[in-house]
Amino acid sequence: MAEPAQMDDARRRYEFKKTLEKLQAKQGSGTELISLYIPPDKQIHDVTGQLRDEFGQCANIKSKQTRTNVQSAISSILSRLKYYKNPPENGMAVFCGTIQLGGDRSDLECTIIEPPEPLNLYMYRCSSNFELEPLKEMLEEKNVYGLLVLDRREAYWGFLRGNRIEPIGGVTSTVPGKQRKGGQSSVRFQRLREIAINEFYTKIGERASDIFLAEKDFFERFKGVLIGGPSPTKEEFEAGQYLHHEIQKRIVGLFDVAYTNESGLSELVDAAKDALKGMEVVKEKEIMNRFLKELVKDNGLAAYGEESIRKNLDLGAVDTLLLSSRLRKSRITITCQNCGHSEERTISLEPGKTVEDILATTCRQCTAPMIVDSEVDIVEELTTLADQTSTRVEIISDDFEEGAILYTAFGGIAAILRYRTGF
Ligand code: ZN
C-alpha cells in the first residue's frame, strides 16, 4: 500500500531542493538581483515601506542599466506583495531580478517561495546572484546519530546524518595482549593491562564525546549514539561510563560488529537497523535491497530504465516505483507549428538552461521547427502515472551506497513489479 504522507514529504523536499538549484544557477549582470526574506511576524506594509525607500536610493546607482533593472525588480516585488495581507505561515522568500540568459538575452524573473520551516530573519539584499543560504540550511539533515565502534585495540567514530555516514576519526591503543612476557608476575601483568585498558577507554570516551558535543544544535538534533564492537568490550565500555554524561544518557544500544575501523561504521548502521526503524536511511536501504534481490533472482520482477518502467506503469504492473532524488529531467510535449505532428520526449535539464536552449529539433514529418507545448518534471510525471494504479512511489536519495547505485547503474528509474511482464 502507498504511504501518502511520507511520500509527500520526500517529494516536497525534492521539489524544494530542485527550486533552489535553479535559483542558484541564475546570474545578473550587475548587483541587481534582489533576495528578500520576510519572517512570518513581519508586517507587509513595513516591507513595502522599505522597498519604496530602496527604490529612491536607486538614484545613487551609477550604471543606468543596473539602476533600471533594480527599479524594475523592486516594482515587480511591490506589485506581488499587494496580494498579501500578511506573510504566509512560515514567512516568504522573494527572488527577483533581471536574469542573464546568455547572448544578449535577459529576462525579469520573480520567484516566491513559502519555505517548509519558519524563517527567522528579515533580509533585503541586492547582489549579482541570489542569497539562498537561509533556505539551504532547511535542507540539512535534522536528525544526527553518533557512531562509535571499539575493541581494546582500536576505536573509530563518526556520524549518521540522514542516509549518509560521515567518518570522523579514531585511535589505536598500546594495550598489551593477553600473553605476558616470561618473567613478569601474572598479577602485576594483569594489573598493568587493566590500567592500560582503562586509559584507552578514557581516551576514546573523551575524544568521541568532544566530537559529538561539538555538533551544531546538539540538544535539538543529536538523537543518540550507537556503540558497536565485540563482546564484552562494548558492554565494559558502557558500564564504565567513559562517555560524557550527555552522550552516555543518549546511548541507543550496543551492537555486535566485527570491524572497529572506519568500515565498522556502516556495519554498525546495518546491525542497528531495528533500533533505527522508521528512519529514512533504513527504509530506503531496505527498498533498494529488495529491488537488488529481485534483480539477482532474475525472475522478471525487477525492472529499470525509463522505457521499461513506462511500459510496466501502463500495464499497471508496478508495485513499487523507485526514483532517484538526483534525477533532473523533464518530460516535454513538442508540436510542429506547420503540420501539427506532436510527440513526447524526455530531456535532461542543465542548470541555467531552458528547454528551448537544450532542444533544437525539427519535425519528422515536414522538417519544420517544433515548439514546446508543455514541460513537467519527470518525477512528478511518473508519480502521477503511478498514482493511477495505486503504485507506491519512493524517492531514493543518492547519499548512501545502494541509493547511488540506483542513479549510476539504473539511470535513476527502477521498479519492483507485481508480476512479470517481459518488459
Ligand atoms: Zn511537421
Side-chain angles (χ1 to χ4, degrees):
M1 275 307 288
E3 296 163 68
Q6 283 183 17
M7 184 185 74
D8 284 351
D9 223 36
R11 223 146 97 192
R12 256 195 303 262
R13 203 178 157 78
Y14 165 83
E15 292 293 339
F16 185 59
K17 195 173 173 191
K18 221 180 50 185
T19 308
L20 295 190
E21 282 177 10
K22 279 188 188 159
L23 286 169
Q24 175 100 55
K26 299 198 188 291
Q27 285 274 342
S29 74
T31 52
E32 56 194 44
L33 301 190
I34 296 174
S35 308
L36 176 66
Y37 284 79
I38 308 174
D41 54 355
K42 184 91 178 170
Q43 301 291 324
I44 291 287
H45 63 82
D46 286 349
V47 180
T48 53
Q50 203 212 332
L51 287 175
R52 287 199 193 94
D53 277 356
E54 294 288 346
F55 193 94
Q57 300 283 326
C58 286
N60 302 324
I61 300 174
K62 283 198 186 89
S63 150
K64 182 175 180 268
Q65 188 198 322
T66 305
R67 184 169 63 235
T68 316
N69 287 344
V70 173
Q71 287 180 330
S72 314
I74 294 176
S75 306
S76 175
I77 297 174
L78 280 169
S79 71
R80 275 155 221 263
L81 288 182
K82 273 187 203 146
Y83 298 103
Y84 291 86
K85 232 176 132 190
N86 295 299
E89 201 184 342
N90 288 337
M92 63 202 285
V94 186
F95 302 97
C96 195
T98 302
I99 308 297
Q100 294 305 308
L101 298 175
D104 286 338
R105 295 178 303 141
S106 61
D107 194 17
L108 178 67
E109 289 181 17
C110 248
T111 307
I112 295 180
I113 292 179
E114 293 184 20
E117 288 168 30
L119 280 173
N120 52 15
L121 82 166
Y122 176 70
M123 178 172 81
Y124 170 90
R125 183 167 298 170
C126 217
S127 176
S128 56
N129 37 43
F130 291 126
E131 175 59 50
L132 300 166
E133 217 37 57
L135 294 180
K136 278 192 191 159
E137 277 174 20
M138 294 182 185
L139 276 173
E140 266 175 35
E141 196 48 54
K142 294 295 174 295
N143 292 340
V144 177
Y145 287 85
L147 304 173
L148 173 61
V149 289
L150 75 149
D151 60 15
R152 288 172 176 176
R153 299 246 150 226
E154 63 179 354
Y156 209 94
W157 48 80
F159 290 102
L160 176 65
R161 304 181 186 282
N163 289 319
R164 190 167 48 90
I165 293 169
E166 182 190 352
I168 300 291
V171 280
T172 52
S173 81
T174 51
V175 175
K178 282 189 181 134
Q179 292 302 314
R180 67 193 155 104
K181 292 188 190 98
Q184 254 177 328
S185 113
S186 163
V187 177
R188 182 174 152 70
F189 173 79
Q190 208 43 51
R191 203 172 59 235
L192 286 175
R193 191 164 179 269
E194 269 157 28
I195 290 170
I197 290 171
N198 183 53
E199 275 172 3
F200 183 53
Y201 285 170
T202 304
K203 191 162 150 192
I204 297 171
E206 282 173 5
R207 298 227 187 144
S209 296
D210 284 351
I211 294 289
F212 296 151
L213 285 167
E215 177 65 16
K216 195 179 83 181
D217 301 329
F218 173 86
F219 288 97
E220 272 168 53
R221 297 167 60 235
F222 194 86
K223 298 302 172 200
V225 59
L226 311 173
I227 301 178
S231 293
T233 317
K234 57 183 181 307
E235 285 79 7
E236 193 173 85
F237 180 79
E238 188 203 18
Q241 311 215 348
Y242 293 98
L243 290 163
H244 185 280
H245 63 101
E246 287 295 345
I247 307 291
Q248 181 81 23
K249 71 184 185 196
R250 285 176 170 77
I251 294 177
V252 175
L254 307 177
F255 306 91
D256 285 322
V257 302
Y259 292 97
T260 50
N261 53 18
E262 195 179 324
S263 36
L265 298 184
S266 86
E267 206 190 339
L268 174 60
V269 173
D270 282 339
K273 241 185 202 161
D274 287 336
L276 295 172
K277 255 225 150 75
M279 261 194 78
E280 281 305 300
V281 58
V282 178
K283 219 183 83 193
E284 292 181 12
K285 235 178 178 234
E286 274 175 357
I287 295 161
M288 272 311 291
N289 283 334
R290 231 183 94 205
F291 167 76
L292 293 169
K293 244 184 225 162
E294 298 294 350
L295 192 74
V296 171
K297 279 194 229 155
D298 199 19
N299 54 10
L301 290 184
Y304 58 89
E306 190 186 338
E307 212 188 313
S308 153
I309 299 307
R310 282 189 188 283
K311 283 179 181 152
N312 283 304
L313 279 173
D314 262 357
L315 293 168
V318 179
D319 175 72
T320 306
L321 175 64
L322 301 102
L323 299 170
S324 168
S325 68
R326 222 165 107 189
L327 278 173
R328 295 290 179 272
K329 288 182 170 184
S330 276
R331 187 72 170 169
I332 56 166
T333 312
I334 48 175
T335 306
C336 173
Q337 290 170 285
N338 184 38
C339 74
H341 168 71
S342 174
E343 60 185 74
E344 283 187 16
R345 275 198 206 170
T346 299
I347 56 162
S348 291
L349 294 177
E350 287 167 55
K353 290 211 166 162
T354 65
V355 181
E356 285 80 7
D357 289 335
I358 297 163
L359 188 86
T361 192
T362 52
C363 179
R364 291 168 196 232
Q365 317 275 358
C366 73
T367 71
M370 312 268 294
I371 56 154
V372 180
D373 275 338
S374 66
E375 181 196 352
V376 51
D377 182 88
I378 196 165
V379 169
E380 206 182 311
E381 189 238 356
L382 291 176
T383 302
T384 310
L385 288 178
D387 285 348
Q388 289 163 7
T389 46
S390 319
T391 294
R392 170 174 169 182
V393 181
E394 297 289 347
I395 295 183
I396 310 280
S397 57
D398 65 334
D399 50 11
F400 64 109
E401 199 188 341
E402 295 88 344
I405 287 175
L406 174 62
Y407 185 78
T408 52
F410 304 105
I413 305 175
I416 301 165
L417 303 182
R418 293 183 171 129
Y419 51 90
R420 58 185 302 165
T421 63
F423 289 124

